[in-house]
Amino acid sequence: MTQSYARLIPACGARVSFALLLAMAVFLSASRGHALAADAEIKIANFTFDPPILTMKAGTTVTWVNNDDIPHLVSEKDGKFRSSALDTGDKFSQTFSTAGTVEYFCAIHPHMTGKIVVEP
Amino acid sequence: MDKTKKRRSEGLEVDRRGALECMIWAGTGVLWALSGGVPKSVGLLGEALAAEASGFTFLQISDSHIGFNKPANPDALGTLREAIAKVKAVKSKPAFMIHTGDITHLSKPDEFDSAAQLIGESGLNVHYVPGEHDFIDEGLGKLYLERYGKGTKGQGWYSFDDHGVHFIGLNNVVDLKAGGLGRLGSDQLAWLADDLKGKANSTPIVVFAHIPLWTVYADWGWGTDDGLQALDMLKRFGSVTVLNGHIHQIVQKVEGNMTFHTARSTAFPQPAPGTAPSPGPMTVPAEQLRSMLGITSVDVRFGNKPLAVTDTTLAG
């Protein structure tokens, strides 16, 4: 569900998409009448995750965007979640509702690793 | 052949019977010639091919990345077509060809189809091993194995014998672990130990896999975590040749009885280890691309003769 949500956003550059994501998040939180954490983006460029360690509140949706000319595949360390192969410009989103540390890597280039710290 | 650049790597010595006598990397592919007979001096590509009419030759191509269309090479199918034209132009027909993986860019059915159709035009029997780009369909390798897994073990590894040489094709791109490099896994290593059981030390061995089995550059993932375990099993053999792809450039070394080579890509070059922020497709001016996909020949002779390397660009 989160994956298709991200794909609804026009592919008009990561920065614009991010801004739209934020705008939609604000809109959704306003319309629902309760607080919703701002969403976050992790860029994949030059075979690295940026930021390599992301700290955020539980309930945040993280979107990975591949800016490399080579596909990457985001996978939790033990495969608890896994994207499909992300070609250039492709995105993958995942919502983290439980506090804790999530370790992930690129299942195609496993030396690429990243961490998400989910705060309660 | 005008633009042939010769680079003699003196001091790399090979001293063993049954060694690969002559290895010619033809264009974006690699031509390998084996002979159990008297060593021959090999000159330019054409002469080498003529001289080896009675020998045993096979070809290597690698990293065709069908489906890749980024600036580094908008037409990966076109450059594979050029490579296959080179293969078809070889005068003494090679016994077969090996493809050391990354046949496709995204493991899509139409990419596999296009590659198979074009490579099939070579008229050669082709032995494949997968690259990580061939194992990223939803079924994590299902499409590759449906096509190329028949008669293989596990995730597509196998061995066969030809002209007295034992060939071993390995898969080091499956079930990769966070923070690691390429990986063979315990099942494949156990199979390899069993496969080598009973083989005489004098049997020439050629082992091929996508990611280098030796560590070329760990920071970029250019190595195999448990590759050393496989190489240890091969140490007792008098002649071992390890052929890989993945890094889209030629790197080679000789260590004891083992000769290591990585092949060029037919699709796009990658930077030399550590010379760029990261690996990945390297965009060069269009007129230079084919000079990055040039011809290299390697000539290994018997009896304390140096291993000679000849690079020839495709730009001429």
Side-chain angles (χ1 to χ4, degrees), chain B residues 91-110:
Chain B
K91 282 176 190 163
S92 60
K93 193 182 175 187
F96 58 82
M97 184 153 69
I98 62 171
H99 191 305
T100 42
D102 284 357
I103 307 157
T104 69
H105 193 57
L106 293 167
S107 300
K108 290 181 176 169
D110 60 324

Side-chain angles (χ1 to χ4, degrees), chain A residues 3 7 45-48 68-73 75-78 82-90 103-114, chain B residues 65 68-72 105-106 108 132-133 135-136 138 140 173 176-182 211 218-221 246 268 270 277-281 283:
Chain A
Q3 203 168 347
R7 283 175 181 167
N46 289 327
F47 286 66
T48 51
D68 271 341
D69 272 358
I70 210 84
H72 295 292
L73 201 159
S75 174
E76 195 272 336
K77 180 168 64 76
D78 300 313
R82 189 183 171 97
S83 74
S84 54
L86 306 176
D87 199 3
T88 309
D90 284 353
E103 292 179 68
Y104 67 92
F105 72 117
C106 171
I108 309 177
H109 311 102
H111 66 287
M112 295 168 58
T113 58
Chain B
H65 282 266
F68 182 82
N69 58 4
K70 303 296 186 296
H105 193 57
L106 293 167
K108 290 181 176 169
E132 70 280 4
H133 288 255
F135 259 63
I136 52 176
E138 292 299 328
L140 300 178
V173 302
L176 304 179
K177 303 299 182 195
L181 308 172
I211 298 174
D219 288 354
W220 286 3
H246 187 59
F268 55 85
Q270 291 201 74
S278 73
T283 304

Side-chain angles (χ1 to χ4, degrees), chain B residues 152-191:
Chain B
T152 67
K153 312 285 184 191
Q155 297 290 310
W157 53 82
Y158 59 97
S159 67
F160 63 94
D161 295 282
D162 203 319
H163 288 69
V165 178
H166 189 59
F167 290 85
I168 302 165
L170 300 177
N171 176 353
N172 56 0
V173 302
V174 74
D175 195 19
L176 304 179
K177 303 299 182 195
L181 308 172
R183 181 174 174 273
L184 295 163
S186 54
D187 288 355
Q188 189 165 203
L189 287 167
W191 168 84

Side-chain angles (χ1 to χ4, degrees), chain B residues 195-218:
Chain B
D195 181 70
L196 295 171
K197 215 176 277 174
K199 291 268 179 305
N201 291 351
S202 58
T203 308
I205 304 283
V206 173
V207 54
F208 57 106
H210 178 64
I211 298 174
L213 288 170
W214 47 297
T215 302
V216 176
Y217 194 57

Side-chain angles (χ1 to χ4, degrees), chain A residues 3-118:
Chain A
Q3 203 168 347
S4 57
Y5 170 74
R7 283 175 181 167
L8 284 174
I9 297 161
C12 50
R15 194 165 297 183
V16 176
S17 299
F18 184 38
L20 276 169
L21 257 177
L22 276 175
M24 287 175 76
V26 169
F27 172 74
L28 284 173
S29 63
S31 62
R32 285 177 188 174
H34 60 81
L36 187 74
D39 290 330
E41 184 179 88
I42 296 174
K43 288 188 178 68
I44 309 174
N46 289 327
F47 286 66
T48 51
F49 296 108
D50 178 28
I53 300 172
L54 174 70
T55 303
M56 57 178 213
K57 295 284 181 194
T60 304
T61 295
V62 177
T63 300
W64 284 263
V65 184
N66 180 17
N67 292 332
D68 271 341
D69 272 358
I70 210 84
H72 295 292
L73 201 159
V74 177
S75 174
E76 195 272 336
K77 180 168 64 76
D78 300 313
K80 289 185 188 113
F81 64 83
R82 189 183 171 97
S83 74
S84 54
L86 306 176
D87 199 3
T88 309
D90 284 353
K91 296 171 183 186
F92 169 69
S93 294
Q94 185 77 17
T95 302
F96 298 92
S97 45
T98 314
T101 299
V102 177
E103 292 179 68
Y104 67 92
F105 72 117
C106 171
I108 309 177
H109 311 102
H111 66 287
M112 295 168 58
T113 58
K115 208 181 273 187
I116 295 168
V117 180
V118 185

Side-chain angles (χ1 to χ4, degrees), chain B residues 17-82:
Chain B
R17 277 185 65 102
L20 296 181
E21 182 194 87
C22 166
M23 299 172 267
I24 302 159
W25 298 10
T28 48
V30 185
L31 174 66
W32 297 84
L34 279 109
S35 169
V38 180
K40 292 188 182 81
S41 175
V42 176
L44 295 176
L45 184 63
E47 298 167 42
L49 299 180
E52 287 303 314
S54 61
F56 165 49
T57 67
F58 69 97
L59 290 159
Q60 179 187 6
I61 60 170
S62 197
D63 295 85
S64 39
H65 282 266
I66 296 309
F68 182 82
N69 58 4
K70 303 296 186 296
N73 182 358
D75 187 13
L77 195 62
T79 46
L80 176 61
R81 187 173 288 115
E82 290 176 34

